[in-house]
Amino acid sequence: MIPQSVQEPAITDGDHRRKPILTDNQAQQAGAILSRIKHDLTDQLRSLGHGDPSLSSGSCGVSLFLHQYAETFHDDETAINADRLLDASLDRISERFSGPSLYSGFPGVAWAINLMDKTEDIECETIDETLLGLVREGRWSGHFDVIQGIIGLGVYALERAPHPLAIEIVKEITKHLINTAERRGDGITWKTSPSWMPPQHVQMFPKGNYNLGMAHGVPGIIAFLGRVQQVGLASTEVMGLLDDAVHWLLRQQLEEHTDGWFGCIRGDDQPARLAWCYGDPGIAAGLLVAARGCGRPIWEEKAVELALCAASRPVETSGIFDAGICHGAAGLGHLFGTMYRKTGREELRAAAQTWMQVAISMCRTDSGVGGYQSYSPSPEHPDRWRSDPGLLSGAAGIGLALLSAIDSAVAPWDRMLLVSE
């Protein structure tokens, strides 16, 4: 049941930014599921507080969901639980070694604290100084991606802007991207080093590859630099870099494939599944961010065309198995809903409703967290499912997507995905 205080006010047909994504019936179903997710996560508060503190899979991401739930439903008790879990995340992240990663390290916890406006709980300037030391003057030698790499640190810094140290971090990261860019005949790109790949991928690509996913590849760089331009921190050189990078990306479009435009890496001959991490929906959402940030209508036209192509792909050929944010049904519903609110294209709203209904139908009363399990196959266990409370692939992320679908005022938690401004 959606409380009256959460229901959207009457709006004009043209104001798609505040128009509900879900049908009334879907919103009621989503409200019931949200209550279950909140209940199950609240029951796990003690164990969550003593476990993984990270943003993507641990207590910090769960705290973010509980915080947004409390804001949406005016639930004081859940707000207290969210704060307690956030405090536990801070304690745990300081107790154990935690690398400079947005998704699994201390920058992710600090990012969430800034998003939730809880900065009195942490010395953000100390974190700023630490990260600036890591990225200054070419010291960074790790991945460029948003999950574990330097772009993720940029997402944190953008959340901190206009604090002076945060601005310096963003500037140093853009310098790094300029210096590591590979100039080719078909534009500018960035190569994924074998040292950043899992062993099975190194065997396939011993010299590295060109990754086309939002989570680990070139589209994530494009979306990040678009946000840098949007906040007024991009130089003329960065804009030129972006122009050539978008040109390169669009040249990677597959030929004669009706199911999708892009593979997972350069050279693939089949389209990737539909997802944020890899595939057309994530690329479209990131390109739209860059288009809006840079004022490039042609990029926006391409982003919308790509999104509409992805929206028309049948559920049966999508490659979707579960409901998570990273590569599941709720993640797709959120991406299409976000792009609908930016463009007003009703086809995208319809796709959001389709995928949110798929996510709703995946909820089971007798399993998982809030009725959801995450599909986690491995060579030894090809059909493994597990209970997952986390944000990126588990119940907390599904909950955030449902909250965003019923309440347009939910804070832009999806900045961590580089799909919103």
Side-chain angles (χ1 to χ4, degrees):
M1 181 74 177
I2 303 296
Q4 187 67 31
S5 60
V6 179
Q7 293 178 359
E8 299 280 0
I11 56 177
T12 63
D13 289 340
D15 194 357
H16 47 267
R17 290 167 297 180
R18 295 191 296 119
K19 193 172 181 179
I21 297 298
L22 303 182
T23 66
D24 290 344
N25 182 55
Q26 286 178 324
Q28 295 301 320
Q29 294 178 75
I33 291 172
L34 284 164
S35 180
R36 289 186 56 197
I37 292 174
K38 185 265 295 186
H39 177 272
D40 285 4
L41 291 174
T42 301
D43 280 352
Q44 296 183 30
L45 282 180
R46 184 173 180 82
S47 60
L48 287 167
H50 289 86
D52 175 4
S54 72
L55 174 63
S56 66
S57 58
S59 56
C60 179
V62 174
S63 173
L64 179 56
F65 163 71
L66 293 175
H67 172 82
Q68 297 290 1
Y69 182 98
E71 290 281 313
T72 299
F73 291 101
H74 310 291
D75 184 335
D76 293 339
E77 183 179 356
T78 298
I80 292 170
N81 287 331
D83 287 345
R84 287 174 176 167
L85 196 56
L86 185 62
D87 289 341
S89 302
L90 277 171
D91 292 341
R92 290 284 295 162
I93 210 81
S94 60
E95 288 172 1
R96 70 178 211 172
F97 174 75
S98 168
S101 156
L102 180 70
Y103 279 54
S104 61
F106 68 87
V109 177
W111 174 86
I113 287 171
N114 278 271
L115 183 70
M116 291 186 276
D117 197 21
K118 303 283 185 180
T119 51
E120 71 275 4
D121 297 332
I122 189 171
E123 295 181 2
C124 288
E125 288 77 9
T126 301
I127 293 175
D128 295 347
E129 291 172 354
T130 299
L131 295 181
L132 182 57
L134 290 172
V135 301
R136 179 176 278 154
E137 297 175 357
R139 296 176 188 174
W140 185 265
S141 59
H143 206 312
F144 57 72
D145 73 352
V146 69
I147 300 283
Q148 301 290 343
I150 198 169
I151 293 175
L153 307 187
V155 170
Y156 161 81
L158 287 171
E159 201 65 43
R160 288 277 294 151
H163 292 276
L165 288 174
I167 290 173
E168 287 303 308
I169 293 170
V170 172
K171 289 181 177 178
E172 290 293 338
I173 291 172
T174 57
K175 287 180 188 175
H176 175 83
L177 293 174
I178 290 170
N179 292 335
T180 56
E182 184 176 310
R183 278 80 179 168
R184 301 172 57 91
D186 53 355
I188 282 178
T189 187
W190 289 263
K191 192 171 190 177
T192 299
S193 167
S195 64
W196 307 334
M197 297 179 183
Q200 63 271 28
H201 290 179
V202 174
Q203 295 177 8
M204 297 169 61
F205 307 103
K207 296 182 179 180
N209 62 28
Y210 298 93
N211 193 296
L212 301 178
M214 274 291 289
H216 301 291
V218 175
I221 294 178
I222 289 171
F224 170 72
L225 291 177
R227 285 218 58 212
V228 172
Q229 169 63 18
Q230 184 226 351
V231 299
L233 296 177
S235 64
T236 303
E237 187 175 9
V238 168
M239 286 303 302
L241 194 75
L242 256 175
D243 284 328
D244 288 343
V246 171
H247 179 77
W248 180 88
L249 176 64
L250 295 177
R251 290 289 299 271
Q252 310 314 308
Q253 182 177 342
L254 297 169
E255 296 181 1
E256 299 180 359
H257 270 287
T258 58
D259 271 353
W261 284 21
F262 294 98
C264 292
I265 61 169
R266 182 176 182 266
D268 278 353
D269 59 3
Q270 296 292 323
R273 62 185 171 184
L274 294 183
W276 166 74
C277 53
Y278 287 95
D280 295 353
I283 296 172
L287 184 57
L288 186 55
V289 166
R292 291 290 176 91
C294 300
R296 292 289 197 272
I298 294 177
W299 297 357
E300 179 157 344
E301 290 175 10
K302 284 292 184 182
V304 172
E305 185 182 355
L306 176 57
L308 292 173
C309 176
S312 69
R313 187 166 170 178
V315 173
E316 295 75 19
T317 66
S318 65
I320 296 299
F321 294 95
D322 60 15
I325 290 296
C326 183
H327 44 259
L332 286 177
H334 181 72
L335 289 176
F336 287 122
T338 296
M339 291 187 284
Y340 162 71
R341 282 183 170 146
K342 290 180 181 181
T343 65
R345 295 297 296 256
E346 286 293 335
E347 303 98 318
L348 299 179
R349 182 173 182 240
Q353 291 174 349
T354 294
W355 282 106
M356 283 303 187
Q357 190 59 52
V358 172
I360 289 168
S361 69
M362 289 177 172
C363 185
R364 300 289 182 266
T365 58
D366 57 351
S367 65
V369 181
Y372 288 100
Q373 289 187 306
S374 172
Y375 180 56
S376 304
S378 67
E380 298 80 17
H381 305 283
D383 196 33
R384 183 178 67 176
W385 292 79
R386 63 186 178 90
S387 294
D388 183 352
L391 192 162
L392 190 60
S393 59
I398 295 166
L400 283 167
L402 291 172
L403 283 172
S404 295
I406 66 173
D407 181 8
S408 63
V410 169
W413 58 270
D414 55 359
R415 286 176 183 159
M416 68 177 283
L417 305 175
L418 288 168
V419 299
S420 69
E421 296 83 17

